């Protein structure tokens, strides 16, 4: 009979062998058991962008879009997306988020809106997926609201920028990390 105990995460730092935490020893999908994990403050920040035509960017940046305040709607959608992450990603734990912040920065030099989302809680599991979902849903909402005037928009570079808390501690993406 095989043990259901997963390898100690500290061991994975000492060897090159890594495992997928959502797959058990039999190759079956598995929700990670966080029962024994300590409750700590956990924060994660993700980012991405929506690139568009200059006219489209100017329209939404100046509040001239016929559908109204595009950023306000996309911000609410991003927050709602983070709160619904467990409904969208099958093996994510439902979390009691204490903070979700979604920010937009207009980059006229690249004709894009940069999106940054930070999620926070005191809990037993991280909030990286919630931050990624917030960015993704905000980007999709920007696309949806502007597709009639600019169907060639591009959503891209969605990634975790940093996270803190939990057993593995702090992590920050460095400039040389790609993908």
């Amino acid at each position: 009979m095989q043990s259901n105990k997963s390898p100690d995460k500290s061991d994975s730092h000492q060897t090159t062998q890594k495992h997928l935490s959502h797959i058990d020893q039999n190759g079956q999908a598995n929700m990670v058991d966080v029962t024994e994990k300590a409750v700590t403050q956990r924060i994660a920040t993700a980012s991405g962008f929506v690139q568009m035509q200059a006219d489209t960017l100017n329209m939404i940046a100046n509040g001239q879009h016929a559908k109204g305040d595009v950023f306000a709607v996309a911000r609410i959608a991003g927050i709602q997306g983070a709160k619904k992450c467990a409904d969208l990603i099958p093996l994510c734990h439902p979390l009691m988020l204490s903070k979700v912040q979604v920010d937009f920065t207009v980059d006229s030099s690249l004709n894009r809106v940069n999106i940054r989302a930070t999620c926070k809680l005191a809990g037993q599991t991280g909030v990286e997926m919630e931050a990624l979902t917030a960015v993704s849903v905000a980007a999709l909402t920007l696309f949806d609201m502007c597709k009639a005037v600019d169907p060639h928009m591009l959503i891209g570079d969605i990634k975790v920028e940093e996270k803190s808390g939990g057993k593995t501690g702090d992590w920050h993406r460095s400039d040389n990390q790609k993908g």
Side-chain angles (χ1 to χ4, degrees):
M1 178 174 234
Q2 292 186 352
S3 167
N4 286 334
K5 185 178 179 226
S6 15
D8 185 348
K9 286 191 177 191
S10 62
D11 293 341
S12 67
H13 295 293
Q14 297 171 357
T15 66
T16 57
Q17 184 179 8
K18 294 185 179 187
H19 71 282
L20 299 173
S21 60
H22 288 85
I23 305 294
D24 69 14
Q25 291 86 349
N26 299 317
Q28 301 297 313
N30 180 40
M31 188 173 186
V32 175
D33 183 356
V34 298
T35 307
E36 300 300 321
K37 286 186 170 186
V39 173
T40 61
Q41 179 175 291
R42 296 164 187 263
I43 303 170
T45 299
S47 66
F49 68 80
V50 180
Q51 191 168 23
M52 59 195 69
Q53 296 172 7
D55 290 345
T56 308
L57 183 62
N58 290 331
M59 180 188 304
I60 63 174
N62 296 322
Q64 300 171 334
H65 195 292
K67 291 185 178 182
D69 188 343
V70 174
F71 293 133
V73 175
R75 179 173 290 110
I76 297 298
I79 293 167
Q80 184 177 2
K83 290 167 49 176
K84 293 291 190 180
C85 186
D87 293 336
L88 301 169
I89 313 292
L91 299 177
C92 281
H93 293 85
L95 301 178
M96 182 63 77
L97 296 170
S98 58
K99 173 99 175 137
V100 178
Q101 182 172 338
V102 179
D103 296 308
F104 303 99
T105 306
V106 173
D107 184 344
S108 298
S109 67
L110 296 174
N111 292 329
R112 68 187 201 184
V113 174
N114 295 314
I115 306 165
R116 188 171 177 90
T118 300
C119 295
K120 182 178 179 180
L121 61 60
Q124 295 171 291
T125 189
V127 290
E128 296 92 339
M129 293 307 299
E130 287 71 17
L132 288 165
T133 302
V135 169
S136 300
V137 173
L140 290 168
T141 301
L142 285 172
F143 190 98
D144 181 51
M145 292 188 74
C146 299
K147 69 182 184 267
V149 295
D150 189 356
H152 299 288
M153 288 176 289
L154 172 70
I155 295 172
D157 207 23
I158 297 173
K159 61 187 176 283
V160 175
E161 292 288 346
E162 59 189 358
K163 73 103 183 161
S164 65
K167 185 176 179 180
T168 59
D170 296 354
W171 177 86
H172 302 274
R173 179 173 297 283
S174 65
D175 290 339
N176 62 355
Q177 290 171 314
K178 302 292 182 197

